[in-house]
Amino acid sequence: MPDTTVHRRDDVIAAAERLFAERGFQATSVRDIAEVLHLQPGSLYAHIESKDDLLWDIVTAAADRFFAAVQPVVDSDLVTTEKLRRLITAHVGVVTSNLSAAAVYSTEWRHLEDQRCRQFAGRRDEYEAIVRGLVHACIRQGVFAAVDEKFATLLILSSINWIYQWYSPDGPMTPEEIARKLTDMLFNGLRRAGA
Amino acid sequence: MPDTTVHRRDDVIAAAERLFAERGFQATSVRDIAEVLHLQPGSLYAHIESKDDLLWDIVTAAADRFFAAVQPVVDSDLVTTEKLRRLITAHVGVVTSNLSAAAVYSTEWRHLEDQRCRQFAGRRDEYEAIVRGLVHACIRQGVFAAVDEKFATLLILSSINWIYQWYSPDGPMTPEEIARKLTDMLFNGLRRAGA
C-alpha cells in the first residue's frame, strides 16, 4: 500500500529537487514527482499547491541557506580578504551539501512565474551586491589590484556556482579544500610570483 | 500559406537551439519547433529525423566550432601562455557568437542518447585535455605556479563556459575585452602585486 505511506514535506521537496535538477523543471510533471514517492498525484496535492510552488520553495530555501551561511562572515570583524575567503568557503559548503538544490538554484529559477522570478532575481542581485561589496573593499584597501569590480564578482560567483557541475562527494577533495584552492587561484592567479 | 515556406535546415537548427536553450531539450517538442517556424510538425520531418538528431547536430556542430577555433592556436609556434590566452579568446569568441548553442552545449548534452552521450563526453574530455596540456606546459616551464593542474583547468573552462549566462551583445564589453580581462584575472589573480 505505497500510497498510504506518510510522506514528510521534506521528502517531496527532496524528490522535486532531484528531478528538477536531472530533467529540468519544465520536463518534470507532478505525476513524475508522485511516482518516485510511490504516491498517487492526487495524494501529492495534500503536500503542495502546485509545481510552481515547489520550485519557489526550493529556490527560496536555497537562497536562505546562502544568505544564512555568509551573513555572519560579512558581519564579522575579519579583514576584508579573509571575509571574502570565508564567504567563498561558506558558499561552496552550501553548494556541495545539496547539489540538486544548487543546480535548480542556478538554472531553473528562470522558470518561476513573473512576479516570483523578479523577486528571486532581486535576491540574487542582493547576494551579488554582498560579494561585490567585499571585492570593492579589497580594491579600495589596496589589497586587490584595480580590477573591474563587476567582472571580478562575476568570475567569483561563476566559479563557485559551477562547482555543482563537477563536484562529487566521493571525489578526492573536501569542500574546504576546494574552497581553499579556488580562493588561492582567484586571489593569486595561476602565474608564478615573479614569472 | 506559411507551411509552403521553404525552410533551410539552418533555420530549423537555429529554432531548435533557441528553444532548447530557453526551455530545455526535454521540455521542447517537435511541435514547438514546427510552431516557431510556422510549419506543420509533419513538414518538419522533411528536415530532421528526430529531436535527438537535432540535439546531436547542435552539440557536435558546437564542438566542431570550438575545436576549429582553438586548433590553429595550439598548433602555432607561440609561447605557451600566449597560446592559452589565445585559446581563451577563441573560446569566448565561439560562445558569444551563438549564445543559444553555447547554452545547449553546456547543459543539454546530458540528454543525448547513451552512445551519443558517451561519444560527446569523449570530445569534451579531449577538449579539456587540450586546455590541461597548456596549463601543464605553463607549470612545467615555470610560468605558472605549481597549482593543481586539473583544478586550474576546471576553473578556466568554467569561467569561459559560464559567459553565455550573462553576456549580452548590447553590453559594454566586446568578446575580445571579456577574454582579455578574464585571462588577466586568471593569470595574475585579483591581489595587487606585492599586497
Side-chain angles (χ1 to χ4, degrees), chain A residues 95-162:
Chain A
V95 169
T96 52
S97 67
N98 187 340
L99 296 172
S100 295
V104 176
Y105 177 86
S106 287
T107 63
E108 301 307 304
W109 63 274
R110 60 207 167 97
H111 300 303
L112 288 167
E113 291 156 0
D114 273 7
Q115 205 196 329
R116 286 176 162 178
C117 195
R118 278 195 301 277
Q119 204 178 328
F120 180 76
R123 290 199 80 187
R124 279 183 78 101
D125 289 349
E126 217 181 300
Y127 193 82
E128 187 180 316
I130 292 177
V131 180
R132 187 168 172 165
L134 292 180
V135 171
H136 176 80
C138 287
I139 296 171
R140 198 169 32 81
Q141 292 162 8
V143 195
F144 279 2
V147 293
D148 180 330
E149 195 179 293
K150 183 179 168 54
F151 196 81
T153 305
L154 278 176
L155 175 61
I156 293 170
L157 284 170
S158 75
S159 57
I160 55 184
N161 280 324
W162 193 264

Side-chain angles (χ1 to χ4, degrees), chain B:
Chain B
M1 298 183 296
D3 213 8
T4 62
T5 317
V6 179
H7 276 277
R8 287 166 45 241
R9 198 178 149 72
D10 289 356
D11 298 328
V12 178
I13 294 281
E17 269 170 1
R18 229 170 26 249
L19 289 172
F20 292 169
E22 279 167 19
R23 307 182 188 175
F25 172 74
Q26 292 195 306
T28 304
S29 65
V30 169
R31 181 174 294 275
D32 296 331
I33 301 168
E35 226 162 60
V36 302
L37 294 164
H38 307 292
L39 282 171
Q40 296 296 326
S43 317
L44 193 59
Y45 283 107
H47 299 276
I48 63 160
E49 293 278 313
S50 69
K51 203 175 72 152
D52 293 302
D53 282 348
L54 271 178
L55 179 59
W56 176 245
D57 287 354
I58 291 169
V59 298
T60 51
D64 289 347
R65 285 195 296 274
F66 283 120
F67 277 102
V70 307
Q71 202 58 58
V73 176
V74 175
D75 293 341
S76 72
D77 291 330
L78 294 162
V79 297
T80 319
T81 40
E82 189 56 28
K83 279 188 186 179
L84 190 51
R85 186 180 281 279
R86 295 215 191 167
L87 177 143
I88 290 171
T89 310
H91 189 105
V92 171
V94 173
V95 169
T96 52
S97 68
N98 187 338
L99 296 172
S100 295
V104 177
Y105 177 87
S106 287
T107 64
E108 301 307 304
W109 65 274
R110 62 208 165 98
H111 300 302
L112 287 168
E113 291 157 0
D114 272 6
Q115 205 198 328
R116 284 176 162 177
C117 195
R118 278 194 301 277
Q119 204 177 327
F120 180 77
R123 290 200 80 188
R124 280 184 77 103
D125 289 348
E126 219 181 296
Y127 193 82
E128 187 180 315
I130 291 177
V131 179
R132 185 166 174 169
L134 292 180
V135 171
H136 176 79
C138 287
I139 296 171
R140 196 169 34 82
Q141 292 162 8
V143 196
F144 279 3
V147 292
D148 179 330
E149 196 178 292
K150 184 178 168 57
F151 196 82
T153 305
L154 277 175
L155 175 61
I156 293 170
L157 283 169
S158 74
S159 56
I160 56 184
N161 279 324
W162 193 264
I163 288 173
Y164 80 84
Q165 291 249 23
W166 58 264
Y167 173 74
S168 157
D170 311 321
M173 282 192 285
T174 64
E176 292 73 26
E177 283 170 324
I178 291 172
R180 189 178 46 73
K181 275 196 187 170
L182 188 60
T183 315
D184 283 347
M185 281 185 198
L186 290 169
F187 283 17
N188 302 324
L190 300 172
R191 209 185 286 277
R192 188 167 60 86

Side-chain angles (χ1 to χ4, degrees), chain A:
Chain A
M1 298 181 298
D3 212 8
T4 62
T5 317
V6 178
H7 277 277
R8 286 169 43 242
R9 197 181 150 72
D10 287 357
D11 298 328
V12 179
I13 294 281
E17 269 170 1
R18 229 169 29 246
L19 289 172
F20 292 170
E22 278 168 20
R23 309 183 185 174
F25 172 74
Q26 292 195 305
T28 304
S29 66
V30 169
R31 180 174 294 273
D32 296 331
I33 301 167
E35 226 162 62
V36 302
L37 293 165
H38 307 292
L39 283 172
Q40 296 297 326
S43 318
L44 193 59
Y45 283 108
H47 299 275
I48 63 161
E49 292 279 313
S50 69
K51 202 175 70 152
D52 293 303
D53 282 347
L54 272 178
L55 179 59
W56 177 246
D57 287 353
I58 291 169
V59 298
T60 51
D64 289 346
R65 285 195 296 274
F66 283 120
F67 277 101
V70 308
Q71 202 59 58
V73 177
V74 175
D75 294 341
S76 73
D77 290 330
L78 295 162
V79 296
T80 320
T81 41
E82 191 54 29
K83 279 188 186 179
L84 190 51
R85 185 179 282 279
R86 297 218 188 165
L87 177 143
I88 290 170
T89 309
H91 188 104
V92 171
V94 174
V95 169
T96 52
S97 67
N98 187 340
L99 296 172
S100 295
V104 176
Y105 177 86
S106 287
T107 63
E108 301 307 304
W109 63 274
R110 60 207 167 97
H111 300 303
L112 288 167
E113 291 156 0
D114 273 7
Q115 205 196 329
R116 286 176 162 178
C117 195
R118 278 195 301 277
Q119 204 178 328
F120 180 76
R123 290 199 80 187
R124 279 183 78 101
D125 289 349
E126 217 181 300
Y127 193 82
E128 187 180 316
I130 292 177
V131 180
R132 187 168 172 165
L134 292 180
V135 171
H136 176 80
C138 287
I139 296 171
R140 198 169 32 81
Q141 292 162 8
V143 195
F144 279 2
V147 293
D148 180 330
E149 195 179 293
K150 183 179 168 54
F151 196 81
T153 305
L154 278 176
L155 175 61
I156 293 170
L157 284 170
S158 75
S159 57
I160 55 184
N161 280 324
W162 193 264
I163 287 172
Y164 79 84
Q165 291 251 19
W166 57 266
Y167 173 75
S168 156
D170 311 321
M173 281 191 287
T174 65
E176 292 72 26
E177 284 169 325
I178 291 172
R180 189 178 45 75
K181 275 198 186 169
L182 187 60
T183 314
D184 282 347
M185 281 188 197
L186 289 170
F187 283 16
N188 303 322
L190 300 171
R191 209 186 286 276
R192 187 168 60 85

